[in-house]
Amino acid sequence: MVPSPTIIPIIMAGGAGSRLWPVSRDSMPKQFIELLDGGLSAFQATIRRVVGKGFGRPIVVTNNDFRFITAEQLAALGVEAEIVLEPERRDSAAAVAVGALLAERQAIGGGTCLLLASDHVIGDEAGFLNAVREASSVAATGRIMTLGITPDHPSTAYGYIHPGSEDLGQGARSIERFVEKPDRQTAERYIAEGYVWNSGNFAFATEVMLQELETYAPGVLAAAREAVDKAVLDLDFVRLDALSFAASPTISIDYAVMEKTKRGGVLAAEFGWSDIGSWDSLHAVKDKDENGNRLEGDVVAIDTTNSFVRSEEALTTVVGLDDVVVVTTHDAVLVSSMQAAPKVKTLVAELKRAGRREAGEHMRIHRPWGWYQRIDIGDRFQVKHICVKPGGRLSLQRHHHRAEHWVVVHGTAEVTIDGAVKFYHENEAAYLPIGCVHRLHNPGKIDLKLIEVQVGSYTGEDDIVRIEDVYARS
Amino acid sequence: MVPSPTIIPIIMAGGAGSRLWPVSRDSMPKQFIELLDGGLSAFQATIRRVVGKGFGRPIVVTNNDFRFITAEQLAALGVEAEIVLEPERRDSAAAVAVGALLAERQAIGGGTCLLLASDHVIGDEAGFLNAVREASSVAATGRIMTLGITPDHPSTAYGYIHPGSEDLGQGARSIERFVEKPDRQTAERYIAEGYVWNSGNFAFATEVMLQELETYAPGVLAAAREAVDKAVLDLDFVRLDALSFAASPTISIDYAVMEKTKRGGVLAAEFGWSDIGSWDSLHAVKDKDENGNRLEGDVVAIDTTNSFVRSEEALTTVVGLDDVVVVTTHDAVLVSSMQAAPKVKTLVAELKRAGRREAGEHMRIHRPWGWYQRIDIGDRFQVKHICVKPGGRLSLQRHHHRAEHWVVVHGTAEVTIDGAVKFYHENEAAYLPIGCVHRLHNPGKIDLKLIEVQVGSYTGEDDIVRIEDVYARS
């Protein structure tokens, strides 16, 4: 059996990935970042894995906050997909339900869904497709198939599946039980007893999943069905109805369905899989130098071994250390032992409790029109670098507490101030007095870059009155 | 004996201190940085240690590059001193010779010099003064006295002195020999045999030191004498004659004189001394929390022990590590094991070989009129934050390749453009076209802060034609 148009990939791209902080943050989580070589984000690699291979049109389920980056990264691949926006996080059961309901509409007369995480890495693409083919063929017999991974080490970072005695064909087994992340000793026992890793990727017949949701998680299914029924098409997005979706319980598909259903199955496979869940697992899948180091960006290391060092900006140096993770970004630095790397999640939770912006937000804030980044701040002033893509248009807006100076350093700006439109070119400056109604637009063919100097008694991001917005944000 | 005006402190403040990189750099070395509590740099603490205690007027020997910071830090203490500028580095023998020659002129009829490093920490000021008093009294008998430190651990970071059998009074001994930094085992033996640390601080009769220099390092003395004879008073500085001074051999006072003279002596003392030569020794003298950590600046550490973490700007986090040094600055990050911290010197040498600006220069560049810091750079543009102190006046200058936009964000600027003078206040912007002759002045009573956006084909620091400069730099 070859993949068929009735196999519809559902890509789950709404997660946050705090264990890869400070690179991965709520405002731009790991699936959208180029963490591996090849110039693609993990999300894009996932999309590419299933596009042009004979599958149906992908359904991407993501968070409303990630709609522009999702669309941008799909556009960069030249791929069309259905982008479904969750108004808030309800964990994976609700996302699976939404995906299955949309797949049911897409594939007349049923069909099979291939549910994929968007933040995993797969080394052996052929092995992956082979496993998908086998799992889908078993799924067609009415099983909800989990892609299990044959362990190559006693990982304490993954949940395990104990395969059952029933042979489902294609080498697949029934499921005896799911178990949580074990300690090392338990993990060794699991491996000896034939357990496999739970990869969190599934294949199932649409109707079977919907039936099992109806049986074991009716609240989730009902909320998802209403959210889909009342969804509106907003620009290119399927925007789920917020009130309906909010009614769904917050629960994972493992807890809601997989641990209860009698129709589960697991196919053990090996295809160089990792969930790159934390810095140590990312390091494990990377190529390393003769000292066991992986050095990325502006890094100098001496007398250092078995370490992962990544710099996004500042010169980063390491001296006389073994088995450490060092990650430096514009506004936050992480130094961890390799072993403690999963605890970064705890760290980020602590930072969030303390109300730290760095816990969830990057310095470079992506917007549908481009991005901006604060480069300086002080008493009564703030300086930003703003980049507007060709054709990008900021909202028509006004500030109550700050004036702005814009100095164009690249490209051409079309600036509207209180109704008057004027063009500014490189080395020209515009002044926007407090209270004026203004808009910035890039009418050109190259990026517009400008330095914005804000001066005023309050320079917070929330001092903005949006009067009109082409991206439906006002 | 109490300290007398005929004891003249000579403060050596020309060193670079690369082992405390990235905080200490050539452009602003460790003696001028507030590394310890109390709001003073180590240089200022050294000055305060000898001012108002009955000593003579201090002579500060420093490098030409540090003249403004030296003057500024003395002024902040309200202390007057003779600031002697070395046109280039010739190690400590030449500096001692210059200091002794100037002290000879200051103290008619001879006198005693107290030669102090400017980058050491002393915990017990009374013990220090007591040791100085005793050493000076022995020095008056014709000995060049070294302040030796009774070791409290087998340090491998210090040179040792083997005291001789001759009793010089006051508990002082003759010197059997100087030895280099030992390995740990040798250090333990040295301690068992009564060796003391060589602190690099001395007391001597001026004429004795000059005689010994004449005997053992005549080239150094001759060069120093000519450099002093031909020195010019430039603003408030004694500027040594460059050509004469350059003729001096580059050699330390230990090698040039102390290891050869028959007139050496050592006084063993304990006064909470450390040369804070590297991050581990700085950590050793700091107060620490219950986990043995010293966390400075915006730092969050979990499961971390016995570590020194200092952030000058970015949120810096440490997870699951023991015995590490983490230092983050605007443009460079250092992560080291505590033990390997002295190797930072090797790292910095490697960075210098690679031509890295960060090896020697800070982002914030201090000037006599204030400071500036680059906050962004890109193709054909650069952005700086400029701060001009009240009364500060930049040189009258011109650029060949860039225009500049100045947006005042604090205070008032007096801007001269091609002879026309205009005042700019907060939230006002000036434009300086390529090639115009301009000058920036702060005529006010508070700091002037402005954001400078440079636009042009070349934004390097060397595109500057200085037409006139109140600080004698043109």
Side-chain angles (χ1 to χ4, degrees):
Chain A
M1 178 190 152
V2 289
S4 92
T6 59
I7 300 186
I8 297 169
I10 302 174
I11 317 292
M12 316 281 277
S18 69
R19 280 176 299 171
L20 290 185
W21 185 89
V23 170
S24 174
R25 306 188 196 182
D26 291 351
S27 71
M28 177 63 86
K30 64 172 177 170
Q31 60 268 29
F32 299 116
I33 295 170
E34 188 191 335
L35 288 169
L36 293 156
D37 301 330
L40 297 181
S41 70
F43 167 69
Q44 288 176 309
T46 305
I47 290 289
R48 180 157 284 182
R49 199 166 289 139
V50 295
V51 163
K53 306 287 195 321
F55 295 98
R57 185 177 190 236
I59 296 169
V60 178
V61 184
T62 189
N63 191 280
N64 186 49
D65 292 346
F66 309 146
R67 62 197 188 280
F68 297 116
I69 186 73
T70 302
E72 194 176 312
Q73 294 203 348
L74 284 168
L77 295 177
V79 169
E80 288 199 358
E82 195 156 8
I83 305 177
V84 188
L85 303 180
E86 296 181 309
E88 51 191 302
R89 291 210 167 83
R90 280 292 177 271
D91 213 332
S92 58
V96 171
V98 163
L101 288 164
L102 288 166
E104 186 184 40
R105 298 183 178 192
Q106 201 179 112
I108 312 299
T112 303
C113 293
L114 176 62
L115 188 86
L116 300 175
S118 63
D119 55 354
H120 293 178
V121 58
I122 282 165
D124 172 9
E125 300 278 350
F128 166 76
L129 286 175
N130 197 45
V132 165
R133 192 192 58 201
E134 292 173 347
S136 301
S137 117
V138 181
T141 71
R143 292 284 177 166
I144 302 180
M145 292 301 299
T146 303
L147 291 180
I149 308 293
T150 307
D152 59 10
H153 69 282
S155 172
T156 59
Y158 300 133
Y160 285 67
I161 296 173
H162 188 184
S165 52
E166 193 182 345
D167 183 348
L168 306 179
Q170 303 280 351
R173 319 284 302 179
S174 59
I175 290 176
E176 176 73 26
R177 64 181 179 120
F178 286 81
V179 293
E180 304 281 338
K181 296 174 186 175
D183 59 26
R184 191 175 168 94
Q185 206 181 341
T186 311
E188 284 170 359
R189 182 167 60 78
Y190 284 168
I191 292 178
E193 292 175 4
Y195 288 44
V196 297
W197 292 337
N198 178 8
S199 77
N201 294 294
F202 302 93
F204 50 78
T206 313
E207 58 180 350
V208 175
M209 177 57 84
L210 292 174
Q211 285 162 14
E212 298 305 273
L213 281 164
E214 181 65 56
T215 305
Y216 299 108
V220 171
L221 185 62
R225 194 181 296 279
E226 192 178 317
V228 169
D229 286 345
K230 294 188 180 169
V232 292
L233 215 66
D234 170 9
L235 301 175
D236 298 322
F237 307 112
V238 178
R239 196 185 284 271
L240 296 172
D241 181 63
L243 205 63
S244 314
F245 192 75
S248 170
T250 300
I251 187 168
S252 75
I253 190 67
D254 282 358
Y255 283 129
V257 173
M258 296 310 295
E259 297 192 4
K260 294 172 180 157
T261 179
K262 309 284 182 284
R263 304 168 82 176
V266 57
L267 180 90
E270 290 172 78
F271 41 80
W273 174 88
S274 167
D275 76 345
I276 51 171
S278 47
W279 291 113
D280 54 325
S281 54
L282 185 66
H283 187 234
V285 301
K286 294 242 180 192
D287 291 335
K288 288 166 275 282
D289 66 20
E290 67 277 13
N291 298 312
N293 294 326
R294 173 73 182 203
L295 311 179
E296 300 185 346
D298 191 0
V299 173
V300 176
I302 59 179
D303 297 336
T304 293
T305 46
N306 306 311
S307 294
F308 178 82
V309 188
R310 176 182 171 120
S311 168
E312 301 207 330
E313 190 163 311
L315 168 63
T316 299
T317 63
V318 185
V319 180
L321 284 167
D322 178 54
D323 227 26
V324 296
V325 174
V326 179
V327 180
T328 69
T329 67
H330 189 78
D331 61 342
V333 171
L334 169 73
V335 182
S336 171
S337 70
M338 194 63 78
Q339 204 192 337
K343 282 198 185 166
V344 170
K345 187 174 181 159
T346 311
L347 171 72
V348 173
E350 196 169 293
L351 294 173
K352 283 189 178 173
R353 269 196 305 278
R356 296 298 303 249
R357 175 199 60 77
E358 298 90 339
E361 265 185 31
H362 283 275
M363 285 293 272
R364 182 168 293 189
I365 307 291
H366 290 265
R367 291 283 181 253
W369 45 260
W371 55 262
Y372 68 87
Q373 182 166 343
R374 186 171 75 204
I375 55 176
D376 199 9
I377 189 167
D379 184 33
R380 297 178 56 85
F381 77 94
Q382 181 172 214
V383 188
K384 286 180 180 173
H385 183 153
I386 296 176
C387 177
V388 186
K389 292 183 285 199
R393 191 184 294 270
L394 279 69
S395 63
L396 186 69
Q397 58 188 240
R398 181 166 55 197
H399 311 294
H400 290 309
H401 303 293
R402 65 178 189 250
E404 293 176 345
H405 300 256
W406 289 346
V407 181
V408 176
V409 296
H410 187 261
T412 294
E414 180 194 294
V415 179
T416 308
I417 301 179
D418 289 331
V421 178
K422 203 176 149 190
F423 291 86
Y424 292 83
H425 309 282
E426 191 185 298
N427 195 30
E428 292 178 347
Y431 175 62
L432 302 108
I434 294 186
C436 78
V437 174
H438 57 276
R439 162 167 264 165
L440 177 61
H441 170 51
N442 178 358
K445 303 297 177 195
I446 58 173
D447 282 350
L448 158 65
K449 291 183 178 175
L450 55 82
I451 303 301
E452 173 180 278
V453 182
Q454 305 175 350
V455 185
S457 51
Y458 178 74
T459 59
E461 215 48 55
D462 54 345
D463 175 19
I464 183 166
V465 181
R466 284 212 180 91
I467 295 148
E468 190 192 303
D469 184 24
V470 293
Y471 308 104
R473 299 173 303 161
S474 52
Chain B
M1 177 194 155
V2 289
S4 92
T6 59
I7 300 186
I8 296 169
I10 303 174
I11 317 293
M12 316 281 276
S18 69
R19 279 176 300 172
L20 290 185
W21 186 89
V23 170
S24 174
R25 306 188 196 183
D26 291 350
S27 72
M28 176 64 86
K30 63 172 178 168
Q31 61 268 29
F32 299 117
I33 295 171
E34 188 191 334
L35 287 169
L36 293 155
D37 300 331
L40 297 181
S41 70
F43 167 69
Q44 288 176 310
T46 305
I47 290 290
R48 181 157 282 182
R49 199 167 288 140
V50 295
V51 163
K53 306 286 195 320
F55 295 97
R57 185 177 190 235
I59 296 169
V60 177
V61 184
T62 189
N63 190 281
N64 186 50
D65 292 345
F66 308 147
R67 63 197 188 279
F68 297 116
I69 186 74
T70 301
E72 194 177 313
Q73 294 204 347
L74 285 168
L77 295 176
V79 168
E80 287 198 358
E82 196 155 8
I83 304 176
V84 187
L85 303 180
E86 297 181 309
E88 51 191 303
R89 292 211 167 83
R90 279 294 176 269
D91 213 333
S92 57
V96 170
V98 164
L101 288 164
L102 288 167
E104 186 185 39
R105 298 184 178 191
Q106 202 180 111
I108 312 298
T112 304
C113 293
L114 176 61
L115 188 86
L116 300 175
S118 63
D119 56 354
H120 293 179
V121 58
I122 282 166
D124 172 8
E125 300 279 350
F128 166 76
L129 285 175
N130 197 45
V132 165
R133 192 191 60 201
E134 293 173 347
S136 301
S137 117
V138 181
T141 70
R143 291 284 176 166
I144 301 180
M145 293 301 299
T146 303
L147 291 179
I149 308 293
T150 308
D152 59 10
H153 70 281
S155 172
T156 58
Y158 299 133
Y160 284 67
I161 295 173
H162 187 184
S165 54
E166 194 182 344
D167 182 349
L168 306 179
Q170 303 280 349
R173 318 284 303 180
S174 59
I175 290 176
E176 176 72 26
R177 65 181 181 121
F178 286 80
V179 293
E180 304 280 338
K181 296 175 186 176
D183 59 27
R184 191 176 168 93
Q185 204 180 343
T186 311
E188 283 169 359
R189 182 167 60 79
Y190 285 167
I191 291 178
E193 294 174 2
Y195 286 44
V196 296
W197 292 337
N198 178 9
S199 77
N201 295 294
F202 302 92
F204 50 78
T206 313
E207 57 180 350
V208 174
M209 177 57 83
L210 292 174
Q211 284 161 14
E212 298 305 271
L213 281 164
E214 181 65 58
T215 305
Y216 299 108
V220 171
L221 184 63
R225 194 182 296 278
E226 191 178 318
V228 169
D229 285 345
K230 295 187 179 168
V232 293
L233 215 67
D234 171 8
L235 300 174
D236 299 320
F237 307 112
V238 178
R239 196 184 283 270
L240 297 172
D241 180 63
L243 207 61
S244 314
F245 192 76
S248 170
T250 300
I251 186 169
S252 75
I253 189 67
D254 282 358
Y255 284 129
V257 173
M258 296 311 294
E259 298 192 3
K260 293 172 181 158
T261 178
K262 308 285 181 285
R263 304 167 81 175
V266 58
L267 180 89
E270 290 173 78
F271 40 79
W273 174 87
S274 167
D275 76 344
I276 51 171
S278 47
W279 291 113
D280 54 324
S281 54
L282 185 65
H283 186 234
V285 301
K286 294 245 181 188
D287 292 334
K288 289 166 274 284
D289 66 20
E290 67 278 13
N291 298 311
N293 293 327
R294 173 73 182 202
L295 311 179
E296 300 184 347
D298 192 1
V299 173
V300 177
I302 59 180
D303 297 336
T304 293
T305 47
N306 306 312
S307 294
F308 179 81
V309 188
R310 177 182 171 119
S311 167
E312 301 207 330
E313 191 164 312
L315 168 63
T316 299
T317 64
V318 184
V319 181
L321 284 167
D322 179 54
D323 227 27
V324 295
V325 174
V326 179
V327 180
T328 69
T329 67
H330 189 77
D331 61 342
V333 171
L334 168 73
V335 183
S336 171
S337 71
M338 193 63 78
Q339 206 192 336
K343 282 198 184 165
V344 170
K345 186 173 182 159
T346 311
L347 171 72
V348 173
E350 195 169 296
L351 294 173
K352 282 190 179 173
R353 270 197 304 277
R356 296 297 304 245
R357 175 198 61 77
E358 299 90 339
E361 265 186 30
H362 283 275
M363 284 292 272
R364 180 168 293 189
I365 306 291
H366 289 267
R367 290 284 181 253
W369 45 260
W371 55 262
Y372 68 87
Q373 181 166 343
R374 186 172 74 202
I375 55 176
D376 199 7
I377 190 166
D379 183 34
R380 295 179 57 85
F381 77 95
Q382 180 171 213
V383 188
K384 286 181 180 173
H385 183 151
I386 296 176
C387 178
V388 186
K389 291 183 286 198
R393 191 183 294 270
L394 279 68
S395 63
L396 185 69
Q397 57 187 240
R398 181 167 54 197
H399 311 294
H400 290 307
H401 303 293
R402 64 179 189 251
E404 293 176 344
H405 300 256
W406 289 346
V407 181
V408 177
V409 297
H410 187 260
T412 294
E414 181 195 294
V415 179
T416 307
I417 302 179
D418 289 332
V421 178
K422 204 178 149 189
F423 291 87
Y424 292 84
H425 309 282
E426 191 184 298
N427 196 31
E428 293 178 348
Y431 175 62
L432 302 104
I434 294 185
C436 78
V437 174
H438 58 276
R439 160 167 263 165
L440 177 62
H441 170 51
N442 178 358
K445 303 297 177 194
I446 58 172
D447 283 350
L448 158 65
K449 291 184 179 175
L450 55 82
I451 304 300
E452 173 180 279
V453 183
Q454 306 176 350
V455 185
S457 51
Y458 178 74
T459 59
E461 216 47 57
D462 54 344
D463 175 19
I464 184 166
V465 182
R466 285 212 179 90
I467 296 148
E468 189 192 302
D469 185 24
V470 293
Y471 308 105
R473 298 175 302 162
S474 52

